[in-house]
Amino acid sequence: MKFGDFNLSKTGDGLLPVIIQDFTTLKVLMLGYMNEEAFERTCAEGRVTFFSRTRKCLWTKGETSGNFLNVKEMYPDCDSDTLLIKAVPDGPACHRGTVACFDTPDNEGFIRSLGAVIRRRHEEMPDESYTTRLFLKGPKAIAKKVGEECAEALIEAVSHDRERFIYEASDLIYHTLVLMEQMGVEISDFEEELALRHK
């Protein structure tokens, strides 16, 4: 992908609009603009660099706050006049200290965030962590816990107790995420499988 491949005739200023999306949660974080130099630096360094329209200079997101945006994937849109960057943020993306510049619900994408936390627990195995204790017990114990939580969720569903069902099903989802990490499976694997079935 080259900057010259983009169609910037519509923008009038030669700048490329760039949408930043959280690689893990899929939450839209912010919008910025790039000139060719900012684009090239982003590609070379793997951290998002924008062109500031007010200051008329390059700025790497996080150079002051430390909240860098680490590039994972880049996609041009269908007209090649906008770029989507999926990034892993080192902290809040917005200057207000919020996760994103858009005020969508804070829990948006939380299940994916929880999956990332569980992955870190598996890598680091910190003491005093319930998740660590599950991994130490092994896959049979984790699978048994998933079965128990499934049964409890089903009981509440049959009882038509919505609040209790949400509570028990949340336990089920958490323990399923732990089992997924144990098995080396991600949510995207299920999405791919379900998409194939849908076709």
Side-chain angles (χ1 to χ4, degrees):
M1 187 186 316
K2 298 178 182 177
F3 192 79
D5 295 335
F6 290 97
N7 175 18
L8 303 181
S9 59
K10 297 177 184 176
T11 64
D13 54 11
L15 296 177
L16 177 66
V18 181
I19 299 166
I20 307 297
Q21 183 180 34
D22 189 302
F23 178 75
T24 302
T25 68
L26 306 184
K27 185 180 184 74
V28 176
L29 301 178
M30 64 178 296
L31 169 71
Y33 296 86
M34 290 182 179
N35 62 6
E36 185 168 5
E37 189 179 358
F39 177 83
E40 295 297 336
R41 182 180 292 183
T42 297
C43 292
E45 297 181 357
R47 286 178 168 172
V48 175
T49 294
F50 294 113
F51 178 79
S52 171
R53 295 175 297 166
T54 54
R55 292 180 286 142
K56 306 297 183 190
C57 64
L58 297 185
W59 64 283
T60 298
K61 178 67 178 170
E63 61 190 8
T64 303
S65 65
N67 298 330
F68 295 101
L69 295 169
N70 304 290
V71 177
K72 296 292 286 186
E73 298 172 354
M74 300 170 67
Y75 300 96
D77 77 339
C78 58
D79 295 322
S80 292
D81 58 10
T82 305
L83 180 65
L84 171 67
I85 295 181
K86 292 188 175 186
V88 175
D90 285 336
C94 183
H95 70 280
R96 301 171 300 172
T98 55
V99 172
C101 296
F102 302 97
D103 292 327
T104 53
D106 288 341
N107 59 2
E108 183 179 36
F110 180 76
I111 290 177
R112 288 173 180 268
S113 294
L114 180 58
V117 170
I118 290 169
R119 189 175 309 115
R120 286 196 301 274
R121 294 285 191 274
H122 195 199
E123 292 168 355
E124 300 167 4
M125 299 293 277
D127 295 336
E128 308 303 322
S129 165
Y130 174 71
T131 307
T132 296
R133 292 199 297 273
L134 286 173
F135 284 125
L136 289 173
K137 290 178 181 178
K140 286 184 179 180
I142 299 170
K144 180 182 178 185
K145 194 67 179 166
V146 170
E148 292 171 0
E149 299 300 345
C150 181
E152 291 173 6
L154 291 175
I155 289 168
E156 302 303 341
V158 171
S159 300
H160 302 288
D161 189 329
R162 183 179 184 275
E163 294 306 315
R164 288 296 305 170
F165 172 74
I166 291 172
Y167 183 87
E168 297 298 348
S170 295
D171 282 346
L172 172 60
I173 290 169
Y174 161 74
H175 287 92
T176 300
L177 288 170
V178 174
L179 186 59
M180 287 165 56
E181 169 62 21
Q182 179 73 46
M183 298 296 297
V185 174
E186 297 184 9
I187 291 175
S188 59
D189 294 314
F190 295 128
E191 290 173 332
E192 183 178 349
E193 174 64 24
L194 292 169
L196 286 172
R197 295 182 190 186
H198 182 68
K199 291 177 183 177

